[in-house]
Amino acid sequence: GAKFVHVIYLFARYVMIENMKKLSVGTGIPFAEAVRWRPDDMYIAEARHRVAYNKLLQNLRREDFVIKEYREKAQ
């Protein structure tokens, strides 16, 4: 349900941030740290969050649909 998708989203965000930190070591790019900062305009931050959340939800639903179709055809 929605709680599971939210947990997966939070996990994916955590993994992405840790990966960016690892890849940006020694490059002088403070991008990974900038991701953790709180934005000045919370409205824009919430809008970006909704967009990312909806995209993730769409991808998960599409993947679930493909898996179900594959299982039906396999039978």
Side-chain angles (χ1 to χ4, degrees):
K3 288 182 182 180
F4 175 75
V5 171
H6 184 65
V7 168
I8 295 297
Y9 169 76
L10 291 176
F11 178 70
R13 184 176 185 275
Y14 171 78
V15 169
M16 178 193 71
I17 289 172
E18 292 301 315
N19 192 25
M20 283 192 304
K21 272 203 246 181
K22 185 172 65 172
L23 294 175
S24 66
V25 169
T27 61
I29 302 171
F31 183 71
E33 292 303 321
V35 171
R36 291 181 179 246
W37 293 342
R38 304 270 309 163
D40 295 334
D41 188 359
M42 286 305 294
Y43 175 76
I44 292 175
E46 289 173 4
R48 288 180 181 159
H49 175 265
R50 281 192 306 271
V51 169
Y53 184 83
N54 288 335
K55 282 288 191 187
L56 176 64
L57 185 60
Q58 287 174 358
N59 289 337
L60 291 173
R61 286 181 177 166
R62 187 178 308 125
E63 183 178 342
D64 183 53
F65 176 77
V66 168
I67 290 171
K68 285 180 181 177
E69 287 286 317
Y70 178 75
R71 285 182 183 159
E72 288 176 6
K73 288 180 181 181
Q75 292 178 354

